[in-house]
Amino acid sequence: MPTDVENWKSEVYGNEIREHLFRFAEEGFETIPDDERDAWFERFKWWGLYHQRNGQEGYFMMRIGTPNGVLEPGQLRVVGEIADEYARGPGTNPIFGDAYADYTTRQAIQLHWIELSDVPDIFEKMEKHGLTTQQACGDSWRNIVGNPVAGKDGQEVIDAWPVIRDLNETFKGDEDHSNLPRKWKVSVTGSADGSGQGDINDLAFEPAYKEIEGEDVVGFNVRVGGGLARNEPRFARDIDVWVSPDRVSDVAGGLSALFRDNGDREDRYNARIKFLVDEWGAEEVRETLQDEYVDFELHTAGRDVREEYTYNTGEGERNDLVGVHEQRDGKYFVGLNVLVGRMGADDVLELADLAEEYGSGEVRLSQRQNVIVTDVPESELDDFLEEDLLEHYSPEPSPFMRGSIACTGTEFCSLSIVETKNRQVRFARWLKENVDLPEDVEEFHIHLSGCTASCAQPQIADVSLRGMKTRKDGEAVEALDVGLGGGLGDEPQFARWVTQRVPVDEVPGALANLIDSFAEAREAGESFRAFVARHDDEELDEFVDPEETDYEDPMMHNTKMTWYPYAEDDSMDAKPPAPADD
């Protein structure tokens, strides 16, 4: 029997949602019938709108899809202006203020406190400048990710940007691919560093060489069925297919249609393609693709470059794209660290100014929630690096700042169990002041996810933190499970969850003790990931060793039961009324 969501989608879905969305925007949030709100909120996701959690009725998160994280000249300014004008609500964040943009782990942008009545004006402003929220959420093609500096990166094997752009233009709004069993996450990368993170996507195209008529041709190997959510992570499986750039759209469309026709529509928990690959196996996926979904002979897999992958591996020269890097044209791109991916609206606008002053005006977003200013001439580089804004968004940050990723958390998300962004900022600042990594360890990734949905990608971090609850001194408090040793590369590894339900005020002490143990017991030049790999779970649990320190956590209480975690009176009784129709 189809799920409720499938029944709702069968009535209204895809592009047609927009006219209903605009009708409710005109008539007011309160005109959405109470017994239809779940259905409409589910549909609104297709146009990038998530209703915020209990206690914030009438407010939405808006996600803007930026394929491969590319913001063309002028677009970042539009985002900053929208954040400044429309993304202000009744709650003020004590660290980030009351207007900001969040850069996500899928190279997109999220704004909060959006009122339904403002959506038509926001859409008009965005679409005038080539931005859209279409299919940023929902059961369809999501924002396509990859190496954010595609087309400019000197380490590219093949320029993936034209391929990504073609896929986006082909499948965004395509009715044949707009109603899938669940989300469809695609990665395309042409660089030899692995920065597309294809292993954790539903569909991945990775650079590879294939001998065709006696010559080496550069194209892409294909992997299918990766993903992190639901406590059942999978790495994408090799289906033994190599594809030339001009055939990527055909193969991607074929696999999308295969998923559309064969994915589980009766159980949303099992609806991702990773479970279909589990059931069928990679060989049957390939055979079905060949027999039913493409009209040309598929090549077998080519020679990949996975042995060169360094991105998010815990070692190597390029674990991320922060810092100053030379482009293939002799100019430079500068990766700036944005702690937990959140940037105030004023800073967004200032960054847009700097991108225009020193570069081409283009800005790109990475999967590590950071920003990259491209096209900076060598003659302008020193002056750019001296700008005051870069004191807050540094190209040379502390490893604990550089490695911090956090999801939205209970500030806005109905799924999250704990507060995340402010907490990870506080963790990173405390670790920076109180803990020393070995001198040769320049990067240390700590990802904090508020629940098992894994939006912060905790399973692929050195230290993985996942929201839980526990009791301390007789009271219910927020807690975190601790996992260790995750990362990507030629041989990707998910983190091992070794310690459960650590009260949040004891987590910094636990991390300090863990790092001290690593520093004392590591072999010469050993990475943290390798250190974890040669110890069993019991030994690692002893290294974690939770401990109270001078770190204080103002969000120890159950923030999920508040209307806003940082409000002076954050009880549900104090929640603001839904915004009035403008």
Side-chain angles (χ1 to χ4, degrees), residues 41-283:
F41 292 168
E42 184 65 36
R43 293 172 181 135
F44 290 169
K45 292 177 184 178
W46 200 91
W47 278 98
L49 290 165
Y50 274 85
H51 188 256
Q52 293 179 185
R53 68 177 181 84
N54 290 342
Q56 299 171 6
E57 282 72 21
Y59 293 98
F60 291 80
M61 178 272 282
M62 176 179 286
R63 183 179 296 156
I64 304 167
T66 51
N68 202 50
V70 176
L71 285 159
E72 296 175 354
Q75 290 183 334
L76 183 65
R77 181 175 306 285
V78 171
V79 171
E81 290 172 352
I82 292 172
D84 187 49
E85 182 174 357
Y86 298 105
R88 297 180 185 272
T92 297
N93 187 297
I95 291 178
F96 298 104
D98 60 358
Y100 38 80
D102 287 346
Y103 306 125
T104 79
T105 54
R106 290 198 61 78
Q107 296 172 274
I109 301 168
Q110 293 180 174
L111 306 177
H112 298 282
W113 298 121
I114 300 298
E115 299 182 23
L116 208 56
S117 59
D118 291 327
V119 167
D121 289 341
I122 295 173
F123 277 16
E124 180 180 6
K125 185 178 181 72
M126 283 196 304
E127 291 166 1
K128 182 179 178 181
H129 293 85
L131 294 168
T132 183
T133 65
Q134 186 185 43
Q135 290 177 237
C137 316
D139 294 344
S140 60
W141 280 65
R142 297 293 187 89
N143 196 49
I144 301 169
V145 300
N147 173 8
V149 285
K152 300 178 184 293
D153 189 1
Q155 294 192 19
E156 279 185 310
V157 175
I158 182 174
D159 182 1
W161 177 229
V163 176
I164 294 169
R165 191 168 51 221
D166 177 63
L167 289 176
N168 184 68
E169 292 172 354
T170 299
F171 294 105
K172 284 285 183 175
D174 185 332
E175 294 291 349
D176 289 337
H177 299 269
S178 67
N179 183 356
L180 303 178
R182 284 288 267 115
K183 65 187 75 172
W184 184 245
K185 295 183 174 181
V186 178
S187 168
V188 184
T189 187
S191 63
D193 62 358
S195 53
Q197 299 196 146
D199 280 311
I200 58 172
N201 281 266
D202 296 300
L203 172 61
F205 294 93
E206 300 184 328
Y209 297 89
K210 184 71 176 177
E211 185 174 322
I212 306 291
E213 297 180 353
E215 294 187 7
D216 264 358
V217 179
V218 185
F220 303 90
N221 281 349
V222 183
R223 290 175 178 256
V224 180
L228 298 178
R230 244 204 74 193
N231 270 340
E232 295 199 44
R234 301 284 191 281
F235 291 122
R237 272 61 60 93
D238 181 358
I239 64 168
D240 192 25
V241 170
W242 177 91
V243 60
S244 59
D246 62 312
R247 288 291 196 182
V248 168
S249 183
D250 297 319
V251 170
L255 286 164
S256 174
L258 182 154
F259 176 50
R260 176 196 65 208
D261 298 342
N262 297 281
D264 191 341
R265 293 183 184 265
E266 297 186 353
D267 182 354
R268 288 184 67 78
Y269 287 105
N270 291 316
R272 297 293 295 276
I273 197 172
K274 64 183 177 182
F275 297 113
L276 186 64
V277 179
D278 287 351
E279 180 184 348
W280 284 12
E283 184 176 349

Side-chain angles (χ1 to χ4, degrees), residues 417-435:
I417 300 171
V418 300
E419 198 282 334
T420 55
K421 283 200 181 287
N422 281 23
R423 177 167 287 135
Q424 184 58 33
V425 169
R426 295 170 66 85
F427 282 176
R429 290 173 176 172
W430 188 90
L431 290 167
K432 177 183 176 182
E433 295 300 322
N434 293 277
V435 178

Side-chain angles (χ1 to χ4, degrees), residues 34 42 56 76 116 123 140 162 340 394 442-443 470 472 540 555 567 580:
D34 288 345
E42 184 65 36
Q56 299 171 6
L76 183 65
L116 208 56
F123 277 16
S140 60
V340 302
S394 174
E442 297 180 354
E443 298 188 29
T470 193
K472 180 174 181 176
L540 294 172
M555 286 103 35

